[in-house]
Amino acid sequence: TGMARIIFPVCLLFSLLFAVSGATQIHAQDNRQAILDELAEEYRPGWIGRYIDSLGNSLNRIDKTLSFNWKGQTADARLESTQFEATWAGLLFLQSVGQYTLYIETDGIVELEFAGRTIKDKSGPQGLLTLGPVEMQFGWHPIKLKYKSPADGGKLKIFWQGPAFKLEPVGGQFLFHPTENTIQDEFSRGEELAHALRCARCHESPAVQD
């Protein structure tokens, strides 16, 4: 019929458009993955954290996420007191162009440096330390975070909001540091293995990572 003659080319046109659109999206994803693969040797997962407790004990380690609750605990088994100071330096990986806002939840004293700004006052919602929104580009961006805990250990968690997502924790897949700055962190690797093997079923071990 005449109607069938009209519907068939229209359906064919939409099919072609969807095919082209799908191919374009796949091509864009392949390009982005190629960029990430090319730069993978320049960056390692996690931020480098430098810790020192109130007794002067100090250590460096790589933290692959920043979601901690140290209430009544030391920040690391190598530290002796629950009160400590820490500084993290690394890179925050942003997957797309747009406005980003960072949030820090803590009961200690914090200072955040990012995108040319430094902030230390808790002016955000629910007493969160807030930086942004700031217009950012795709890629790896330097970031530095300083923290001083209260006497009982405290807590520290980092969240963000971006152009394509609402408020959520910053995942470990977005935290990096330059390969040239990396450190040997065999102690933390041992803790990861102990956790994977469930050694805590029979042995006591401080768990500070949420």
Side-chain angles (χ1 to χ4, degrees), residues 40 42-49 51 62-68 88-95 102-104 112 114 139-145 156-160 168-179 182 209:
E42 297 184 29
Y43 306 108
R44 298 288 180 88
W47 290 353
I48 297 176
Y51 295 75
I62 296 173
D63 288 319
K64 294 185 178 179
T65 61
L66 258 76
S67 180
F68 297 105
W88 291 270
L91 301 165
L92 186 60
F93 175 56
L94 307 182
Q95 289 187 312
L102 301 183
Y103 302 90
I104 306 293
L112 178 63
F114 181 66
W140 288 259
H141 298 271
I143 188 168
K144 189 173 184 179
L145 178 62
L156 180 72
K157 300 181 182 182
I158 182 169
F159 301 84
W160 65 349
E168 65 182 28
V170 178
Q173 68 270 33
F174 304 108
L175 309 184
F176 293 87
H177 64 277
T179 299
T182 198
Q209 190 83 39

Side-chain angles (χ1 to χ4, degrees), residues 100-170:
Y100 290 81
T101 304
L102 301 183
Y103 302 90
I104 306 293
E105 179 186 356
T106 181
D107 54 3
I109 300 172
V110 290
E111 179 177 308
L112 178 63
E113 299 178 25
F114 181 66
R117 302 185 186 184
T118 300
I119 188 168
K120 59 179 71 174
D121 297 322
K122 297 179 181 180
S123 57
Q126 300 178 352
L128 299 177
L129 180 92
T130 306
L131 190 155
V134 288
E135 187 72 22
M136 302 297 296
Q137 300 297 315
F138 167 84
W140 288 259
H141 298 271
I143 188 168
K144 189 173 184 179
L145 178 62
K146 298 178 182 179
Y147 174 76
K148 183 176 181 179
S149 80
D152 63 349
K155 65 179 179 180
L156 180 72
K157 300 181 182 182
I158 182 169
F159 301 84
W160 65 349
Q161 182 171 323
F165 58 91
K166 295 184 178 180
L167 183 67
E168 65 182 28
V170 178

Side-chain angles (χ1 to χ4, degrees), residues 170-191:
V170 178
Q173 68 270 33
F174 304 108
L175 309 184
F176 293 87
H177 64 277
T179 299
E180 62 186 17
N181 295 342
T182 198
I183 60 174
Q184 295 298 321
D185 194 10
E186 296 178 355
F187 184 89
S188 295
R189 176 57 179 161
E191 283 195 324

Side-chain angles (χ1 to χ4, degrees), residues 34-101:
I35 294 173
L36 296 178
D37 292 341
E38 182 179 348
L39 296 175
E41 294 184 359
E42 297 184 29
Y43 306 108
R44 298 288 180 88
W47 290 353
I48 297 176
R50 309 186 189 280
Y51 295 75
I52 181 168
D53 68 15
S54 59
L55 300 176
N57 301 295
S58 63
L59 62 95
N60 297 334
R61 74 182 192 191
I62 296 173
D63 288 319
K64 294 185 178 179
T65 61
L66 258 76
S67 180
F68 297 105
N69 186 350
W70 295 291
K71 287 290 186 180
Q73 305 178 81
T74 60
D76 188 283
R78 291 165 287 181
L79 301 179
E80 295 184 43
S81 69
T82 55
Q83 189 168 31
F84 67 95
E85 296 182 20
T87 300
W88 291 270
L91 301 165
L92 186 60
F93 175 56
L94 307 182
Q95 289 187 312
S96 59
V97 176
Q99 291 192 333
Y100 290 81
T101 304

